[in-house]
Amino acid sequence: MIEESSKRGKAAVEKRQLFMEMRAQNFDVIRLSTYRTACKLRFVQKRCNLHLVDVWNMIEAFRDNGLNTLEHHAEINVSRLETILSSIYYQLNKRLPTTHQINVEQSIGLLLNFMVATYDSESHGKLTVFSMKAMLATMCGGKIVDKLRYLFSQMSDSSGVMVFTKFDQFLREVLKLPTAVFEGPSFGYTEHSLRTCFPQQKITLNTFLDVLMADPPPQCLVWLPLMHRLANVENVFHPVECSYCRSESMMGFRYRCQQCHGYQLCQNCFWRGHANGPHSNQHQMKEHSSWKSPAKKLSHAISKSLGCVPMGEPPHPVFPEQAERPPEAPHNVVLESPSRLDEEHRLIARYAARLAAEAGNSTQQCPPSDLAFNFDANKQQRQLIAELENKNREILQEIQRLRLEHEQASQPTPEKAQQNPTLLTELRLLRHRKDELERRMSALQESRRELMVQLEGLMRLLKDEEQKQASQSGGSPHSSPGHGAGGCPMPMPIRSTSAGSTPTHTPQDCLAGVGGDVLEAFAQGVPRNLRNDLLVAADSITNTMSSLVKELHSVDDGADEEETNIRNGGERGTMRVQKQ
């Protein structure tokens, strides 16, 4: 007993869950009943994930579960209804990607409780087949024209004419949906609902679609096309500021006053009846479901005035009036009544036959003049496309040619050198001579630096010697030139290893790389004015270095000039070869 009571309590909570969530959305603040009803039913549709099931998938589910073999007044119990809903949602999860899977059990529970609360108010535990078909076909996803075509197939006879008693039954069932979301006083069923929709006697498919998709539609069903428009504009963005809430952007519908210039409201402010300034709720408002820039509006108006665009588009395509014969029923299908046709198979057969008829009659419906005009226009377009493609191909070839020429000009050309081997040999010799002079220059610079260090040391020794001779008149005249007054040794020069010789410590070898005046000054035993001799030697070394630098620069200039002449000669030779 305790377990049964807990199950009943859980079922009662699940029945109230969807309605509690709907009330939490606070839809009752919407001023207009039409928008209020459409918003509530749209919430139920999305919460139960019915918006993900297309109407054609729903028809396929009806056929897979054998509902097409049952009469409209046949009843099914809740357990079979749950089985049908399970097949619908499990098939849906197979079509959805793995990242967008839905909670099947939760969706089944919410939709089952809503359908039972809507169509089994007396708790019989059963629903009629037509009630389930009407509800699921109305609340599922897909185009409204496809839904209405399927519903018309359920209410028409074999000749394609609507049966008024079946349409009256449809109104009874479908108007239970607004009543279930507490909008019965505005859109409940009345005895005059049928005649307000169709005062005519004979209703075909095109007439049925014209009436229900008109602007405005019948008052009792005005919420049905609005629910589909809500689904289409949920993600539409309008870069316009709301005149009341000052929101810098709008999502959904946009409403523009026809009397107040530039006064626009977002859907939340319009639905709640907000107004400010000179604007009043009594003013006529125009609903916009998309945004067009002023430039686009101007171009559209000009095209419309010039007849480039049609003045008005039909709300739906025109279908053949005569119904087609349905295909033979499969052998495993057992019909309860021999006179009853398979509605779903008949709808699919009509749809396929109409597509074939439209494809076959498209050329017949066009007059010869239109066909000739279309042919000429298509021919001109093809010629223009061909010309543009050829021009594009030529441009690409020219770009490729220029790219190759640039690469050849920026890179060395061994082909030219192969055509002139003598020029290549001379160029190599000049480069070798230039490298050799650069190495010689580096060696001379190093030798000069070392020699200047040696000369500075010698100058200090000579200065000390003169000072000693000046202070001591009795000094020995035979003092060794390699020692100073204090007996400290004179620093011996170290030759650069770049010259390729082995360093020694003999005086003569140390002076081997020095000018003649310096060598003479240190080689002779007779004392002389060594300061003057060293200065003369330094000048001689400087003049020698200057001449070497001039020679190096002249050789570099000659090599560069020769290389330029070689290049110019190679290019002229190549041009002569190309001309030949």
Side-chain angles (χ1 to χ4, degrees), residues 480-526:
S480 175
H483 292 77
C488 59
M490 183 179 64
M492 293 291 105
I494 300 176
R495 295 182 55 142
S496 174
T497 56
S498 61
S501 60
T502 303
T504 59
H505 297 282
T506 61
Q508 296 298 330
D509 291 338
C510 294
L511 298 176
V514 187
D517 294 336
V518 178
L519 179 64
E520 182 181 358
F522 287 96
Q524 295 178 0
V526 182

Short mmCIF file of all heavy atoms in Angstrom, two decimals, residues 480-526:
data_model
loop_
_atom_site.label_atom_id
_atom_site.label_comp_id
_atom_site.label_asym_id
_atom_site.label_seq_id
_atom_site.Cartn_x
_atom_site.Cartn_y
_atom_site.Cartn_z
N SER A 480 125.31 47.32 -23.47
CA SER A 480 124.62 46.49 -24.48
C SER A 480 123.33 47.17 -24.91
O SER A 480 122.58 47.68 -24.08
CB SER A 480 124.31 45.11 -23.86
OG SER A 480 123.56 44.37 -24.78
N PRO A 481 123.06 47.17 -26.21
CA PRO A 481 121.81 47.79 -26.68
C PRO A 481 120.57 47.01 -26.26
O PRO A 481 119.49 47.49 -26.37
CB PRO A 481 121.97 47.81 -28.20
CG PRO A 481 122.93 46.74 -28.52
CD PRO A 481 123.86 46.66 -27.34
N GLY A 482 120.74 45.79 -25.81
CA GLY A 482 119.58 45.00 -25.42
C GLY A 482 119.23 45.16 -23.97
O GLY A 482 118.32 44.51 -23.49
N HIS A 483 119.92 45.98 -23.19
CA HIS A 483 119.63 46.18 -21.78
C HIS A 483 119.50 47.65 -21.49
O HIS A 483 120.16 48.47 -22.09
CB HIS A 483 120.73 45.57 -20.91
CG HIS A 483 120.77 44.08 -21.00
ND1 HIS A 483 121.32 43.43 -22.10
CD2 HIS A 483 120.33 43.11 -20.15
CE1 HIS A 483 121.23 42.12 -21.90
NE2 HIS A 483 120.62 41.90 -20.72
N GLY A 484 118.67 48.01 -20.52
CA GLY A 484 118.53 49.39 -20.10
C GLY A 484 119.55 49.71 -19.04
O GLY A 484 120.45 48.96 -18.72
N ALA A 485 119.32 50.91 -18.45
CA ALA A 485 120.26 51.37 -17.44
C ALA A 485 120.16 50.54 -16.21
O ALA A 485 121.11 50.34 -15.49
CB ALA A 485 119.99 52.84 -17.10
N GLY A 486 119.03 50.10 -15.89
CA GLY A 486 118.84 49.31 -14.68
C GLY A 486 119.12 47.86 -14.88
O GLY A 486 118.85 47.06 -13.98
N GLY A 487 119.57 47.47 -16.04
CA GLY A 487 119.86 46.08 -16.31
C GLY A 487 118.65 45.25 -16.69
O GLY A 487 118.77 44.06 -16.80
N CYS A 488 117.54 45.90 -16.85
CA CYS A 488 116.35 45.12 -17.24
C CYS A 488 116.41 44.85 -18.72
O CYS A 488 116.83 45.70 -19.48
CB CYS A 488 115.08 45.86 -16.86
SG CYS A 488 114.93 47.49 -17.62
N PRO A 489 115.98 43.70 -19.18
CA PRO A 489 116.06 43.36 -20.60
C PRO A 489 115.07 44.15 -21.42
O PRO A 489 113.97 44.44 -20.97
CB PRO A 489 115.77 41.87 -20.63
CG PRO A 489 114.92 41.63 -19.43
CD PRO A 489 115.40 42.59 -18.39
N MET A 490 115.46 44.46 -22.65
CA MET A 490 114.57 45.16 -23.57
C MET A 490 113.57 44.16 -24.13
O MET A 490 113.95 43.04 -24.50
CB MET A 490 115.40 45.79 -24.68
CG MET A 490 114.58 46.61 -25.67
SD MET A 490 115.60 47.35 -26.93
CE MET A 490 116.21 45.89 -27.74
N PRO A 491 112.26 44.51 -24.20
CA PRO A 491 111.26 43.54 -24.69
C PRO A 491 111.49 43.23 -26.15
O PRO A 491 111.68 44.12 -26.97
CB PRO A 491 109.93 44.27 -24.48
CG PRO A 491 110.29 45.71 -24.47
CD PRO A 491 111.64 45.80 -23.84
N MET A 492 111.53 41.94 -26.43
CA MET A 492 111.73 41.48 -27.80
C MET A 492 110.38 41.38 -28.51
O MET A 492 109.39 40.93 -27.92
CB MET A 492 112.41 40.10 -27.80
CG MET A 492 113.83 40.12 -27.27
SD MET A 492 114.98 40.98 -28.35
CE MET A 492 115.21 42.50 -27.45
N PRO A 493 110.26 41.77 -29.77
CA PRO A 493 108.99 41.68 -30.49
C PRO A 493 108.67 40.22 -30.83
O PRO A 493 109.55 39.40 -31.02
CB PRO A 493 109.24 42.50 -31.75
CG PRO A 493 110.71 42.40 -31.97
CD PRO A 493 111.35 42.35 -30.59
N ILE A 494 107.36 39.96 -30.89
CA ILE A 494 106.86 38.63 -31.25
C ILE A 494 106.17 38.77 -32.59
O ILE A 494 105.21 39.51 -32.73
CB ILE A 494 105.89 38.09 -30.20
CG1 ILE A 494 106.61 38.00 -28.86
CG2 ILE A 494 105.34 36.73 -30.60
CD1 ILE A 494 105.70 37.58 -27.71
N ARG A 495 106.63 38.03 -33.55
CA ARG A 495 106.06 38.12 -34.89
C ARG A 495 104.70 37.45 -34.92
O ARG A 495 104.43 36.49 -34.22
CB ARG A 495 107.00 37.47 -35.89
CG ARG A 495 108.30 38.19 -36.03
CD ARG A 495 109.15 37.51 -37.06
NE ARG A 495 108.41 37.43 -38.30
CZ ARG A 495 108.99 37.60 -39.49
NH1 ARG A 495 110.27 37.88 -39.57
NH2 ARG A 495 108.27 37.48 -40.59
N SER A 496 103.83 37.93 -35.77
CA SER A 496 102.48 37.40 -35.88
C SER A 496 102.53 36.01 -36.50
O SER A 496 103.27 35.76 -37.44
CB SER A 496 101.62 38.33 -36.75
OG SER A 496 100.37 37.75 -36.98
N THR A 497 101.74 35.12 -35.94
CA THR A 497 101.69 33.76 -36.47
C THR A 497 101.02 33.71 -37.82
O THR A 497 101.12 32.73 -38.54
CB THR A 497 100.91 32.85 -35.50
OG1 THR A 497 99.62 33.43 -35.29
CG2 THR A 497 101.64 32.73 -34.19
N SER A 498 100.29 34.82 -38.16
CA SER A 498 99.65 34.83 -39.47
C SER A 498 100.66 34.94 -40.59
O SER A 498 100.38 34.65 -41.73
CB SER A 498 98.65 36.00 -39.56
OG SER A 498 99.35 37.22 -39.38
N ALA A 499 101.89 35.44 -40.27
CA ALA A 499 102.94 35.55 -41.29
C ALA A 499 103.54 34.21 -41.63
O ALA A 499 104.28 34.06 -42.58
CB ALA A 499 104.02 36.52 -40.85
N GLY A 500 103.28 33.19 -40.82
CA GLY A 500 103.74 31.84 -41.14
C GLY A 500 105.12 31.53 -40.64
O GLY A 500 105.71 30.53 -41.05
N SER A 501 105.77 32.33 -39.74
CA SER A 501 107.13 32.08 -39.25
C SER A 501 107.08 31.68 -37.81
O SER A 501 106.11 31.93 -37.10
CB SER A 501 108.01 33.33 -39.45
OG SER A 501 107.45 34.41 -38.73
N THR A 502 108.20 31.10 -37.34
CA THR A 502 108.30 30.65 -35.96
C THR A 502 108.91 31.74 -35.12
O THR A 502 109.95 32.30 -35.49
CB THR A 502 109.17 29.38 -35.89
OG1 THR A 502 108.59 28.40 -36.73
CG2 THR A 502 109.27 28.87 -34.46
N PRO A 503 108.34 32.14 -33.97
CA PRO A 503 108.89 33.22 -33.16
C PRO A 503 110.21 32.81 -32.53
O PRO A 503 110.38 31.68 -32.06
CB PRO A 503 107.80 33.45 -32.10
CG PRO A 503 107.06 32.16 -32.02
CD PRO A 503 107.12 31.57 -33.37
N THR A 504 111.17 33.74 -32.54
CA THR A 504 112.49 33.53 -31.91
C THR A 504 112.77 34.68 -31.00
O THR A 504 112.00 35.62 -30.90
CB THR A 504 113.59 33.43 -32.98
OG1 THR A 504 113.59 34.63 -33.74
CG2 THR A 504 113.33 32.24 -33.92
N HIS A 505 113.98 34.65 -30.35
CA HIS A 505 114.34 35.69 -29.37
C HIS A 505 115.64 36.37 -29.73
O HIS A 505 116.20 37.08 -28.93
CB HIS A 505 114.48 35.07 -27.98
CG HIS A 505 113.20 34.49 -27.48
ND1 HIS A 505 112.19 35.26 -26.97
CD2 HIS A 505 112.76 33.21 -27.46
CE1 HIS A 505 111.17 34.48 -26.61
NE2 HIS A 505 111.51 33.22 -26.91
N THR A 506 116.18 36.18 -30.95
CA THR A 506 117.40 36.87 -31.35
C THR A 506 117.09 38.26 -31.81
O THR A 506 116.02 38.49 -32.42
CB THR A 506 118.10 36.09 -32.47
OG1 THR A 506 117.23 36.02 -33.59
CG2 THR A 506 118.47 34.68 -32.01
N PRO A 507 117.94 39.24 -31.58
CA PRO A 507 117.65 40.62 -31.98
C PRO A 507 117.50 40.78 -33.48
O PRO A 507 116.65 41.51 -33.94
CB PRO A 507 118.85 41.40 -31.45
CG PRO A 507 119.43 40.55 -30.36
CD PRO A 507 119.18 39.15 -30.74
N GLN A 508 118.36 40.09 -34.26
CA GLN A 508 118.27 40.26 -35.69
C GLN A 508 116.96 39.72 -36.25
O GLN A 508 116.36 40.29 -37.12
CB GLN A 508 119.47 39.56 -36.36
CG GLN A 508 120.80 40.20 -35.98
CD GLN A 508 120.92 41.63 -36.42
OE1 GLN A 508 120.34 41.99 -37.42
NE2 GLN A 508 121.65 42.46 -35.69
N ASP A 509 116.53 38.56 -35.71
CA ASP A 509 115.26 38.00 -36.18
C ASP A 509 114.09 38.87 -35.76
O ASP A 509 113.10 38.97 -36.45
CB ASP A 509 115.07 36.59 -35.61
CG ASP A 509 116.06 35.61 -36.23
OD1 ASP A 509 116.56 35.93 -37.32
OD2 ASP A 509 116.32 34.56 -35.62
N CYS A 510 114.21 39.53 -34.60
CA CYS A 510 113.11 40.39 -34.16
C CYS A 510 112.96 41.58 -35.08
O CYS A 510 111.87 42.12 -35.22
CB CYS A 510 113.35 40.86 -32.74
SG CYS A 510 113.31 39.52 -31.51
N LEU A 511 114.08 42.04 -35.69
CA LEU A 511 114.02 43.22 -36.55
C LEU A 511 113.90 42.85 -38.02
O LEU A 511 114.04 43.72 -38.89
CB LEU A 511 115.29 44.06 -36.34
CG LEU A 511 115.48 44.61 -34.92
CD1 LEU A 511 116.82 45.34 -34.84
CD2 LEU A 511 114.35 45.54 -34.56
N ALA A 512 113.65 41.59 -38.30
CA ALA A 512 113.61 41.18 -39.70
C ALA A 512 112.41 41.76 -40.43
O ALA A 512 112.48 42.03 -41.61
CB ALA A 512 113.57 39.65 -39.78
N GLY A 513 111.30 41.98 -39.73
CA GLY A 513 110.12 42.51 -40.40
C GLY A 513 109.99 43.99 -40.28
O GLY A 513 108.95 44.56 -40.59
N VAL A 514 111.05 44.71 -39.79
CA VAL A 514 110.98 46.15 -39.59
C VAL A 514 111.71 46.83 -40.74
O VAL A 514 112.54 46.23 -41.43
CB VAL A 514 111.60 46.53 -38.23
CG1 VAL A 514 111.39 48.00 -37.90
CG2 VAL A 514 111.02 45.66 -37.15
N GLY A 515 111.40 48.15 -40.95
CA GLY A 515 112.03 48.89 -42.03
C GLY A 515 113.54 48.96 -41.91
O GLY A 515 114.14 48.69 -40.85
N GLY A 516 114.20 49.40 -42.99
CA GLY A 516 115.67 49.41 -43.01
C GLY A 516 116.27 50.38 -42.02
O GLY A 516 117.34 50.12 -41.46
N ASP A 517 115.62 51.52 -41.80
CA ASP A 517 116.17 52.49 -40.85
C ASP A 517 116.19 51.96 -39.44
O ASP A 517 117.16 52.15 -38.69
CB ASP A 517 115.36 53.78 -40.92
CG ASP A 517 115.51 54.45 -42.28
OD1 ASP A 517 116.53 54.20 -42.95
OD2 ASP A 517 114.57 55.21 -42.65
N VAL A 518 115.19 51.28 -39.07
CA VAL A 518 115.17 50.70 -37.72
C VAL A 518 116.20 49.62 -37.59
O VAL A 518 116.91 49.49 -36.59
CB VAL A 518 113.77 50.15 -37.40
CG1 VAL A 518 113.74 49.50 -36.04
CG2 VAL A 518 112.75 51.26 -37.48
N LEU A 519 116.30 48.76 -38.62
CA LEU A 519 117.30 47.69 -38.59
C LEU A 519 118.71 48.28 -38.50
O LEU A 519 119.57 47.79 -37.75
CB LEU A 519 117.14 46.83 -39.84
CG LEU A 519 118.13 45.67 -39.97
CD1 LEU A 519 117.92 44.68 -38.82
CD2 LEU A 519 117.95 44.96 -41.30
N GLU A 520 118.96 49.33 -39.26
CA GLU A 520 120.29 49.96 -39.24
C GLU A 520 120.58 50.59 -37.89
O GLU A 520 121.69 50.55 -37.39
CB GLU A 520 120.37 51.02 -40.34
CG GLU A 520 121.74 51.69 -40.44
CD GLU A 520 121.77 52.74 -41.53
OE1 GLU A 520 120.72 52.88 -42.21
OE2 GLU A 520 122.80 53.39 -41.71
N ALA A 521 119.52 51.15 -37.29
CA ALA A 521 119.72 51.82 -36.00
C ALA A 521 120.11 50.85 -34.93
O ALA A 521 120.93 51.15 -34.07
CB ALA A 521 118.44 52.56 -35.60
N PHE A 522 119.61 49.63 -34.99
CA PHE A 522 119.91 48.65 -33.94
C PHE A 522 121.03 47.69 -34.33
O PHE A 522 121.56 46.98 -33.50
CB PHE A 522 118.65 47.83 -33.59
CG PHE A 522 117.66 48.63 -32.81
CD1 PHE A 522 116.62 49.25 -33.44
CD2 PHE A 522 117.80 48.74 -31.43
CE1 PHE A 522 115.71 49.98 -32.71
CE2 PHE A 522 116.89 49.48 -30.71
CZ PHE A 522 115.83 50.11 -31.34
N ALA A 523 121.32 47.64 -35.63
CA ALA A 523 122.38 46.71 -36.04
C ALA A 523 123.77 47.28 -35.83
O ALA A 523 124.72 46.56 -35.57
CB ALA A 523 122.19 46.35 -37.52
N GLN A 524 123.94 48.58 -36.00
CA GLN A 524 125.25 49.18 -35.85
C GLN A 524 125.60 49.32 -34.38
O GLN A 524 124.73 49.51 -33.54
CB GLN A 524 125.29 50.56 -36.52
CG GLN A 524 125.10 50.47 -38.04
CD GLN A 524 125.08 51.84 -38.68
OE1 GLN A 524 125.21 52.84 -37.99
NE2 GLN A 524 124.95 51.87 -40.01
N GLY A 525 126.85 49.25 -34.12
CA GLY A 525 127.29 49.36 -32.74
C GLY A 525 127.54 50.79 -32.32
O GLY A 525 127.67 51.09 -31.16
N VAL A 526 127.70 51.73 -33.32
CA VAL A 526 127.99 53.12 -32.98
C VAL A 526 126.72 53.80 -32.55
O VAL A 526 125.70 53.72 -33.24
CB VAL A 526 128.63 53.86 -34.18
CG1 VAL A 526 128.97 55.30 -33.81
CG2 VAL A 526 129.87 53.11 -34.63
#
